[in-house]
């Protein structure tokens, strides 16, 4: 299966370690971060809206000693009146092509962000159940983080993707995985460059 952080999942799929894509919130301070006034939907839309070209690099692993490079493209667009924000991705690495749609929204009462992921790698296409309690989104105004959790290989694994170094024409997306109680290990990096609208 594939989860919200599709690029991490490509690496997991290639390395024959599926179902690793979900993580959990690790600190209360991060939760309070999400409630700050800088975490407004308009700022998120302004940071990412548009079309982007992607260069992917997966770190070396036991099953991929040389690592793996890939390419992709994604388009972020806001729904009417900024109620939702959608990320549509097509990613290719080795023989794998992954299609992902992520939908973000902000609860007007709690001021917290939420997300739903859909993918050609998820048996039911959209992970509605996970969106209700397993996905944690934090937006500080300069950095976006999506954490997910999932039971895999007999234990709960965690994944984290961080969008950082955000400028008008580029950003960096970094994916991590961690075992229960263990440190996060970087598994992939994406460099995005703004491209002409399709």
């Amino acid at each position: 299966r594939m989860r919200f952080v599709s690029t991490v999942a490509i690496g997991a799929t290639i390395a024959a370690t599926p179902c690793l894509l979900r993580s959990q919130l690790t600190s209360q301070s991060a939760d309070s971060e999400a409630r700050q006034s800088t975490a407004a939907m308009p700022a998120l839309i302004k940071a990412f809206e548009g079309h982007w070209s992607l260069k992917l690099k997966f770190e070396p692993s036991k099953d991929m000693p040389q690592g793996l490079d890939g390419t992709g493209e994604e388009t972020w667009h806001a729904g009417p009146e900024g109620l939702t924000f959608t990320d549509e991705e097509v990613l290719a690495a080795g023989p794998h092509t992954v299609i992902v749609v992520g939908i973000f929204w902000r609860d007007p009462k709690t001021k917290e962000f939420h997300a739903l992921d859909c993918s050609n790698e998820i048996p039911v296409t959209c992970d509605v159940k996970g969106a209700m309690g397993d996905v944690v989104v934090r937006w500080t105004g300069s950095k976006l983080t999506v954490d997910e959790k999932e039971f895999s290989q007999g234990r709960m694994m965690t994944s984290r993707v961080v969008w950082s170094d955000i400028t008008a024409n580029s950003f960096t997306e970094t994916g991590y995985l961690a075992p229960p109680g263990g440190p996060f290990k970087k598994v992939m990096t994406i460099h995005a460059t703004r491209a002409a609208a399709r």
Side-chain angles (χ1 to χ4, degrees), residues 87-106:
D87 172 26
E88 300 175 346
E89 303 180 35
V90 179
L91 308 162
H96 303 277
T97 298
V98 179
I99 300 169
V100 174
V101 177
I103 303 173
F104 293 84
W105 69 95
R106 191 177 187 226

Side-chain angles (χ1 to χ4, degrees), residues 143-190:
K143 182 183 295 185
L144 175 66
T145 303
V146 175
D147 288 353
E148 300 185 66
K149 62 182 178 180
E150 180 167 311
F151 190 76
S152 177
Q153 300 180 337
R155 58 182 179 172
M156 189 66 72
M157 298 291 292
T158 64
S159 72
R160 170 171 292 170
V161 172
V162 179
W163 288 260
S164 61
D165 301 323
I166 302 166
T167 73
N169 295 303
S170 65
F171 61 81
T172 299
E173 182 179 344
T174 310
Y176 305 87
L177 288 173
F184 280 97
K185 179 180 179 180
K186 184 169 72 172
V187 296
M188 68 88 186
T189 304
I190 294 177

Side-chain angles (χ1 to χ4, degrees), residues 76-162:
W76 296 70
H77 57 89
E81 299 186 13
L83 187 66
T84 60
F85 193 36
T86 302
D87 172 26
E88 300 175 346
E89 303 180 35
V90 179
L91 308 162
H96 303 277
T97 298
V98 179
I99 300 169
V100 174
V101 177
I103 303 173
F104 293 84
W105 69 95
R106 191 177 187 226
D107 187 316
K109 293 182 179 180
T110 66
K111 310 303 182 184
E112 295 176 343
F113 278 92
H114 299 279
L116 167 69
D117 61 306
C118 303
S119 170
N120 63 332
E121 296 292 326
I122 300 177
V124 295
T125 304
C126 293
D127 183 22
V128 177
K129 183 179 178 180
M132 299 303 294
D134 294 332
V135 179
V136 177
V137 181
R138 302 188 300 278
W139 167 241
T140 67
S142 60
K143 182 183 295 185
L144 175 66
T145 303
V146 175
D147 288 353
E148 300 185 66
K149 62 182 178 180
E150 180 167 311
F151 190 76
S152 177
Q153 300 180 337
R155 58 182 179 172
M156 189 66 72
M157 298 291 292
T158 64
S159 72
R160 170 171 292 170
V161 172
V162 179

